[in-house]
Amino acid sequence: RYISVTGVQTCALPISQTVGQKTGLAIKAAAADRANELPQQAIGHRRLEQHRRLGGVDLAAAQPRQRLLAVLLQAEGASEKDREAAFRNLEEAAKRNHPGAQYRLSYAYEKGVFGPSNASKSIEWLTAAARNGENNAQFLLASKLDEGGGLKRDAVLATQLYTKAAEGGNPSAQYYLGRMYSTGSGGFPKDLNVAVKWLQQSASRANANAQFLLGELLVDPDSPIADLKRGISWLKVSEEMGSSLAVGRLDRKSTRLNSSHTDISRMPSS
């Protein structure tokens, strides 16, 4: 059958009817959790801390079985038996409608983590994760729909997903919206105030591209939103975050603030 990722009827992406409906699996999983069959100490505290966050799942708050799964997915030299166990647990969690597991399972199928890659399965689980509010999945699915990455292009749905991902706090989606609003492209109207709003949110989440673009918009003397000091501050932060694009701009603009000293120990305020 077909589902709607965003609640509109424009999405025609197939997803298995069995997702979240296997009661037997859910009961078995719940029983395993209650029995604490895979205690935290079996994982190792150091490795658990190294992989504290994986696929949007807070491992510290996860059930022991989920924590072990997360470690096995990343562990170097994991045995074939462990990898098979990791896949079974990941698939089970995805079928229980866990959006983080669905997103990770999509990635596993795309990259062939547990066997041959399967583009169809990858899209199926990516769609499920996006539908369930996983903003990384929403952004990735939007990109595929926007660029035709294995899917029929759908600019309208892509726009909706980009927006949902940005509203959910995804910095890449926030940067994308900021860039589109700054130029009036991608089906978005040009609106510098809206662009700055999204870029500010993305920049505050350490997105160097957003920091650079925000700085660029603010140092433009002909812009109605010009703010030279604040713009240079963001360019400096962007340079510190590794953006090579910011260096030339800073060289040309810094002399205009020779009587001021911008504090870059903190990110600029909005």
Side-chain angles (χ1 to χ4, degrees):
R1 66 188 176 93
Y2 294 90
I3 65 162
S4 167
V5 177
T6 62
V8 296
Q9 297 300 316
T10 55
C11 179
L13 299 177
I15 185 167
S16 170
Q17 292 183 353
T18 63
V19 174
Q21 295 180 355
K22 292 194 174 180
T23 306
L25 282 175
I27 293 174
K28 177 183 176 182
D33 287 341
R34 286 195 300 271
N36 200 24
E37 291 180 350
L38 299 175
Q40 179 174 334
Q41 54 266 34
I43 301 171
H45 292 285
R46 183 180 62 82
R47 183 172 288 175
L48 175 62
E49 184 62 28
Q50 288 176 343
H51 305 293
R52 184 177 177 81
R53 294 194 64 81
L54 180 67
V57 180
D58 186 350
L59 301 185
Q63 294 292 341
R65 192 156 48 93
Q66 293 172 314
R67 291 197 297 265
L68 179 59
L69 163 66
V71 173
L72 290 176
L73 283 170
Q74 296 287 331
E76 295 181 3
S79 70
E80 188 64 29
K81 181 179 179 180
D82 284 342
R83 292 176 65 80
E84 289 175 359
F87 175 74
R88 287 196 303 272
N89 281 288
L90 181 60
E91 185 178 49
E92 184 175 326
K95 288 178 178 178
R96 290 170 62 191
N97 232 24
H98 190 294
Q102 291 168 339
Y103 176 62
R104 293 295 298 180
L105 187 57
S106 170
Y107 175 86
Y109 273 120
E110 180 181 10
K111 302 298 182 181
V113 173
F114 298 110
S117 60
N118 188 321
S120 165
K121 286 282 189 181
S122 176
I123 291 296
E124 177 179 325
W125 287 112
L126 184 66
T127 302
R131 179 195 60 194
N132 286 325
E134 215 295 329
N135 63 62
N136 293 300
Q138 291 169 339
F139 176 73
L140 181 56
L141 185 57
S143 300
K144 291 179 179 293
L145 289 166
D146 190 22
E147 301 165 4
L151 293 172
K152 182 179 179 180
R153 297 186 67 176
D154 188 332
V156 173
L157 183 56
T159 296
Q160 294 172 348
L161 284 167
Y162 278 131
T163 302
K164 280 187 171 292
E167 291 171 344
N170 185 283
S172 295
Q174 291 167 342
Y175 165 66
Y176 175 85
L177 289 188
R179 186 160 55 89
M180 294 299 102
Y181 276 109
S182 72
T183 58
S185 54
F188 296 89
K190 184 172 182 177
D191 189 325
L192 292 179
N193 289 313
V194 175
V196 166
K197 180 194 78 169
W198 286 119
L199 291 172
Q200 175 79 38
Q201 292 186 39
S202 181
S204 297
R205 289 178 169 85
N207 186 304
N209 289 327
Q211 292 164 352
F212 174 75
L213 181 54
L214 180 57
E216 279 280 87
L217 293 176
L218 294 173
V219 298
D220 181 359
D222 298 323
S223 171
I225 60 169
D227 186 334
L228 187 59
K229 288 186 179 182
R230 185 168 156 236
I232 288 181
S233 294
W234 276 117
L235 289 175
K236 287 182 177 179
V237 172
S238 174
E239 183 182 14
E240 289 187 341
M241 291 292 293
S243 173
S244 59
L245 296 174
V247 178
R249 293 294 289 165
L250 281 171
D251 290 342
R252 293 192 295 272
K253 293 293 182 181
S254 291
T255 55
R256 299 182 60 179
L257 287 181
N258 54 10
S259 61
S260 302
H261 299 281
T262 305
D263 180 8
I264 61 171
S265 63
R266 295 167 55 190
M267 287 188 177
S269 59
S270 58

